Amino acid sequence: MTAIQKYSTKERDQDRARILQILLTNKAVASGILAKEPFAETQSAEQDIAEIVTLVGRLPAPDLADVLEALPTEERLALWSLVTEDRRGSVLVEASETVWDDLIEDMSDKALLNALRPLDIDDQIYLAQYLPRDLVGRLLATLPQNERTQVRQILHYDKHSVGAIMDFEVITVRPDVTLAVVQRYLRLRGKVPQNTDKLFVTSRDKTLLGELDLHRDFAACAANAGV
């Protein structure tokens, strides 16, 4: 039986240093990764890029976070683009808040949600405190009811979090339900939770399919009904 080779601390240190060396000494590498220069004009950078891809694939999340924090903005974005979507959430958890803006600025809401989903509930709660309210609502809509309740309670009662001044109760509906049916449900429910301006459309497996704006969509429905 072949023994699994341990990824030692020394090797991790060397790999982190190698990524920094490549990105900080050869500007064509970051430009090539970000497609600012054609690869045909940066042939010497292609091997370096391939090496970085390999190193990124094996470095643990804390090490990647350390490297990202040590890089200038352009090189940081280049390296971040090589981190696969399924690992981005774990890297964000390890990274300092000072680099979050750079890392998530160009990520779509869908990409951010996909990055958060593989995380355990504690890490999701940690990151949710720093995300825009609309995005937190989308995240909650994809969680099972017990986890959704847990996240809401922590966000609502932690006096240091943005949730301390927001109610994150989320109402979800199925895609085959009409607006008229949803309107009847809301009337029967009586009071809509404070700060609720959207309903989230989810499938039975909690996949987020879309959103309904309580003001725009329901006003349009009422107008059509009156025609």
Side-chain angles (χ1 to χ4, degrees):
M1 181 181 294
T2 303
I4 298 176
Q5 186 175 2
K6 183 179 179 181
Y7 193 14
S8 68
T9 300
K10 181 179 179 181
E11 289 173 319
R12 289 163 56 185
D13 290 343
Q14 290 173 339
D15 288 348
R16 289 199 308 268
R18 178 58 179 158
I19 293 176
L20 289 171
Q21 179 188 25
I22 294 173
L23 287 172
L24 295 176
T25 59
N26 188 351
K27 293 293 185 181
V29 172
S31 296
I33 294 172
L34 297 173
K36 291 186 176 181
E37 294 181 18
F39 280 135
E41 298 179 13
T42 59
Q43 292 182 359
S44 63
E46 291 189 57
Q47 290 183 338
D48 286 338
I49 293 172
E51 183 179 357
I52 291 177
V53 170
T54 299
L55 297 176
V56 167
R58 72 186 185 198
L59 271 174
D63 295 282
L64 287 174
D66 287 344
V67 178
L68 287 163
E69 291 171 10
L71 289 169
T73 297
E74 181 172 354
E75 286 74 17
R76 179 183 299 143
L77 294 177
L79 183 62
W80 182 239
S81 71
L82 300 179
V83 179
T84 56
E85 191 173 80
D86 62 312
R87 300 188 66 203
R88 285 187 165 190
S90 59
V91 175
L92 282 172
V93 169
E94 299 292 342
S96 165
E97 298 167 31
T98 58
V99 300
W100 281 358
D101 285 346
D102 278 350
L103 300 182
I104 69 174
E105 182 177 9
D106 292 328
M107 292 179 67
S108 66
D109 285 355
K110 181 179 179 181
L112 273 169
L113 288 174
N114 288 339
L116 293 176
R117 284 196 187 101
L119 301 177
D120 61 38
I121 189 66
D122 290 336
D123 287 337
Q124 288 184 340
I125 290 171
Y126 170 67
L127 290 178
Q129 297 177 65
Y130 302 94
L131 295 175
R133 180 176 177 273
D134 281 355
L135 187 56
V136 174
R138 296 183 189 109
L139 172 63
L140 290 175
T142 66
L143 295 177
Q145 183 60 48
N146 61 324
E147 292 186 3
R148 184 190 304 173
T149 301
Q150 183 181 355
V151 174
R152 284 186 58 246
Q153 288 175 340
I154 292 175
L155 288 178
H156 187 71
Y157 292 114
D158 182 355
K159 65 180 180 181
H160 299 297
S161 76
V162 67
I165 57 172
M166 293 182 181
D167 184 351
F168 281 104
E169 184 168 351
V170 170
I171 300 175
T172 60
V173 296
R174 295 282 181 258
D176 55 348
V177 176
T178 65
L179 281 177
V181 171
V182 175
Q183 284 180 312
R184 286 198 296 272
Y185 164 74
L186 292 177
R187 283 196 294 268
L188 289 172
R189 180 188 174 102
K191 185 178 180 181
V192 175
Q194 185 180 7
N195 294 319
T196 299
D197 55 4
K198 293 181 180 180
L199 306 184
F200 296 92
V201 183
T202 61
S203 63
R204 294 190 180 278
D205 64 357
K206 293 299 180 183
T207 299
L208 182 63
L209 303 177
E211 303 170 6
L212 293 174
D213 187 293
L214 281 178
H215 304 294
R216 184 192 64 235
D217 294 325
F218 285 93
C221 179
N224 291 335
V227 174

